[in-house]
Amino acid sequence: MRLYRDPDNPGRLAFDEGFYRRIAAETGRRRQVLHHVVPIRSGYAWPLRAGQVVRLVAVEGPQVCDLNLWNLDNPRERFWAARSRQIQGAHVTALDRLWSCLPYLRPMITFTNDTISTEPTAAGGRCHDLLGTRCDPYLYKLLDDRDFDVTCHNNLTRAIAPFHLTELDVHDVLNVFQVTGLDPVHEIYFMEPSPARKGDFLEFFAEIDLLCAISTCPSGDLSQWGWGEDGSDPLAACRPIGVEVYELDGELLEGWRRPESPRVKSVYSA
Ligand SMILES: [Zn+2]
């Protein structure tokens, strides 16, 4: 068996981990420039400059949060869940990175800190999920013939509309604070309740200028299944998510450069 990325011998995927560890540790050398609490069952989008740090905080307790990322100047460059999964693993934590789609393929963010345990659950589930995607109204229609627009896809679409993006720009998400895995028999996706406690956070560093968007999932902490007609609306399992943006002391950024895309000669000619 050969790993896609050997953590002990990452080769050209190696980077200066100490740089990110310092950012995580030296919190006295940052200044908060944005603090916003995203209400339950809603979306929020915000621009982020390269070199800034974001904390997504479970401000009141467990809650799943769906994340999308675009290059602020070129929304065709967006986060690519499949390639990020191959390189980093199916769940992310500190010192993992999210990579952009082709033909860009560079780290968009690097995670600097994570207060959630990376230990698997009894069922083999892990947190911060790159396997699944967002909930969406098309699936509700397909499965239940139900018109239902309280989903992360709707929330993300509405959040990015002021930035002139549409639902076609919404892409596979990182499910922050969500525990998932694949069952060992069929390799079918499973979910478990979010383990986040009040104050838990996932923190990342922007490698390029970004537009970020999150949705506070209308299914809340995923402790309940089902929705609607039978009275199983998991409203009580829904909590807000805090977004904190920090500007770093310039000295902390010394030596760091925005990553560039690999230069490929041509994909059109032989
Ligand atoms: Zn959702």
Side-chain angles (χ1 to χ4, degrees):
M1 185 179 75
R2 188 161 161 211
L3 292 180
Y4 210 87
R5 174 183 60 94
D6 180 352
D8 298 323
N9 186 20
R12 296 183 72 162
L13 291 173
F15 60 90
D16 178 9
E17 296 184 356
F19 171 80
Y20 299 96
R21 286 205 176 95
R22 278 192 296 280
I23 290 171
E26 298 186 24
T27 52
R29 300 172 73 187
R30 57 172 71 177
R31 181 173 63 91
Q32 193 173 90
V33 291
L34 176 89
H35 179 246
H36 182 80
V37 175
V38 185
I40 67 166
R41 296 183 168 173
S42 63
Y44 179 61
W46 72 98
L48 186 67
R49 291 294 167 190
Q52 290 183 325
V53 164
V54 170
R55 249 186 208 196
L56 299 174
V57 187
V59 282
E60 290 184 13
Q63 169 65 40
V64 165
C65 163
D66 292 45
L67 174 71
N68 264 189
L69 301 170
W70 300 261
N71 175 337
L72 185 63
D73 304 312
N74 170 21
R76 283 189 169 178
E77 181 176 12
R78 58 198 201 179
F79 140 56
W80 187 10
R83 180 54 49 83
S84 301
R85 197 160 59 227
Q86 286 175 314
I87 295 176
Q88 309 296 160
H91 301 84
V92 295
T93 187
L95 301 177
D96 283 327
R97 318 182 101 175
L98 295 184
W99 296 76
S100 58
C101 61
L102 300 183
Y104 308 104
L105 195 62
R106 56 179 168 170
M108 300 179 87
I109 63 172
T110 303
F111 293 101
T112 45
N113 206 346
D114 178 13
T115 61
I116 303 281
S117 169
T118 54
E119 283 298 305
T121 64
R126 293 174 192 260
C127 198
H128 307 315
D129 161 61
L130 273 179
L131 289 167
T133 189
R134 58 209 182 274
C135 53
D136 72 86
Y138 302 93
L139 189 67
Y140 282 109
K141 190 71 182 174
L142 176 74
L143 297 180
D144 302 332
D145 193 24
R146 189 142 44 108
D147 291 305
F148 190 69
D149 66 355
V150 188
T151 78
C152 288
H153 182 77
N154 296 74
N155 290 343
L156 291 167
T157 301
R158 291 173 189 139
I160 61 178
F163 297 89
H164 310 292
L165 299 183
T166 74
E167 70 172 313
L168 299 176
D169 295 296
V170 178
H171 48 282
D172 281 345
V173 302
L174 172 70
N175 286 300
V176 178
F177 302 130
Q178 181 168 331
V179 171
T180 68
L182 300 177
D183 94 82
V185 178
H186 308 94
E187 293 198 309
I188 293 174
Y189 184 69
F190 69 79
M191 301 182 286
E192 296 183 74
S194 172
R197 288 166 303 181
K198 184 176 174 172
D200 272 327
F201 64 84
L202 179 66
E203 183 182 280
F204 61 83
F205 175 88
E207 302 284 352
I208 61 173
D209 292 345
L210 293 170
L211 177 67
C212 308
I214 63 166
S215 162
T216 46
C217 183
S219 291
D221 64 10
L222 301 185
S223 58
Q224 297 176 44
W225 283 99
W227 250 105
E229 285 125 25
D230 57 351
S232 61
D233 181 344
L235 184 63
C238 289
R239 297 173 186 86
I241 289 283
V243 175
E244 300 172 1
V245 178
Y246 295 92
E247 194 93 41
L248 299 180
D249 179 341
E251 272 179 34
L252 268 181
L253 292 173
E254 265 172 29
W256 166 77
R257 288 171 51 199
R258 294 179 200 215
E260 289 182 8
S261 300
R263 293 218 181 115
V264 170
K265 220 159 61 181
S266 173
V267 293
Y268 296 102
S269 56

